[in-house]
Amino acid sequence: MTDDRILTASRCPKSLDAFVGQLGARKLFLAWFALYWPMTGAAQTTPTTTVPKWAEAELDRPVPEELKLLGHHGVVTLEGNVSAEKRASELVVAKSSGSLQLDALALGQLGNARISPDLLEGGATRVRISVEFSSVNYDTMGRDYVCDQAVRDADWYRTTFPGKVEDNKFKGFLRGVGLLDKRMEWAVRDRARFETVWNQAIELCRERPEAPLMGLIVILGSGKTPAK
């Protein structure tokens, strides 16, 4: 009987002094902190931020002849606002192609460009435009992309982005060919092998400036040596 009354009293003391005496000041503080802190945190308000909606587009542009001879190419990303007239305004280069000339060309061509209504559905207030400048003619499936230009492009990229492996639209196109052409199936399965064959083809191109790059890649990928 006595033991039960003591246990009850220790679980629920009648005075604060008794409670402090049982727990100690430190334990009392921790108990207060655990009870009070969630309530203070709940009372705090988190500032809300408005996430802008983007109108996004991807465009292809040919490289001007004078820059093509230097091997300039790449993707420039522009960002800006949608004006009240539904045009691209205040465009800036968000990601450079590596060529200041191509970046400036993209800004000149697309500054104040009218934005398609389809891209503005949902109330977009910002615009992002990716422009790929390439020497590859996709109307001919890249068959007329010959070695002298491929070498210029490869050398310019290696100088501009040392140590970086280029992954451009034409490489993606060639790997996609493997879905339709059995001679290129290996390019779909083995990305590392594709890069090796690509580099081998570029080196062979230095000796065969008029040869189509695609043809060399198909032959090298099959394990054969191209005839001179």
Side-chain angles (χ1 to χ4, degrees):
M1 186 74 177
T2 304
D3 290 342
D4 185 57
R5 286 198 300 270
I6 293 173
L7 288 174
T8 303
S10 65
R11 286 197 296 267
C12 185
K14 295 182 179 179
S15 68
L16 180 60
D17 290 338
F19 184 67
V20 172
Q22 290 176 23
L23 292 181
R26 183 178 180 183
K27 290 184 178 180
L28 177 60
F29 173 77
L30 293 176
W32 172 86
F33 185 88
L35 291 170
Y36 182 72
W37 179 254
M39 291 188 292
T40 59
Q44 295 176 351
T45 58
T46 303
T48 58
T49 56
T50 302
V51 178
K53 295 182 179 180
W54 290 83
E56 300 190 64
E58 296 181 359
L59 306 174
D60 293 323
R61 291 288 187 271
V63 179
E65 195 61 34
E66 64 274 16
L67 296 178
K68 185 176 178 180
L69 292 173
L70 297 174
H72 289 215
H73 64 283
V75 178
V76 54
T77 301
L78 308 177
E79 292 182 355
N81 296 321
V82 177
S83 72
E85 295 76 25
K86 310 303 181 186
R87 293 180 178 272
S89 67
E90 302 176 81
L91 289 179
V92 297
V93 175
K95 185 176 181 181
S96 174
S97 63
S99 167
L100 294 178
Q101 295 93 324
L102 291 179
D103 293 351
L105 181 60
L107 283 171
Q109 290 180 347
L110 297 170
N112 202 42
R114 186 177 295 279
I115 303 174
S116 169
D118 293 344
L119 298 178
L120 297 176
E121 291 182 358
T125 58
R126 298 277 288 164
V127 60
R128 180 182 293 119
I129 310 170
S130 294
V131 187
E132 176 161 356
F133 289 96
S134 176
S135 298
V136 178
N137 181 3
Y138 290 100
D139 290 338
T140 63
M141 307 293 284
R143 292 189 180 91
D144 55 354
Y145 185 55
V146 294
C147 277
D148 62 343
Q149 187 61 50
V151 168
R152 285 194 288 266
D153 290 350
D155 288 347
W156 175 83
Y157 190 90
R158 289 169 181 170
T159 301
T160 306
F161 302 99
K164 186 176 180 180
V165 177
E166 182 175 16
D167 189 20
N168 55 38
K169 183 177 179 179
F170 187 54
K171 282 186 172 181
F173 168 77
L174 288 178
R175 290 193 296 268
V177 169
L179 298 173
L180 304 173
D181 189 333
K182 290 185 177 181
R183 296 175 302 171
M184 289 288 290
E185 283 181 341
W186 57 272
V188 179
R189 297 191 305 267
D190 194 336
R191 183 78 167 263
R193 183 185 172 195
F194 176 83
E195 289 298 330
T196 298
V197 170
W198 175 277
N199 291 329
Q200 290 173 344
I202 293 296
E203 293 310 308
L204 276 178
C205 275
R206 300 183 190 280
E207 306 169 2
R208 312 164 191 225
E210 301 303 320
L213 177 64
M214 183 187 293
L216 289 182
I217 289 176
V218 171
I219 295 172
L220 289 171
S222 66
K224 300 177 181 177
T225 302
K228 292 185 178 181

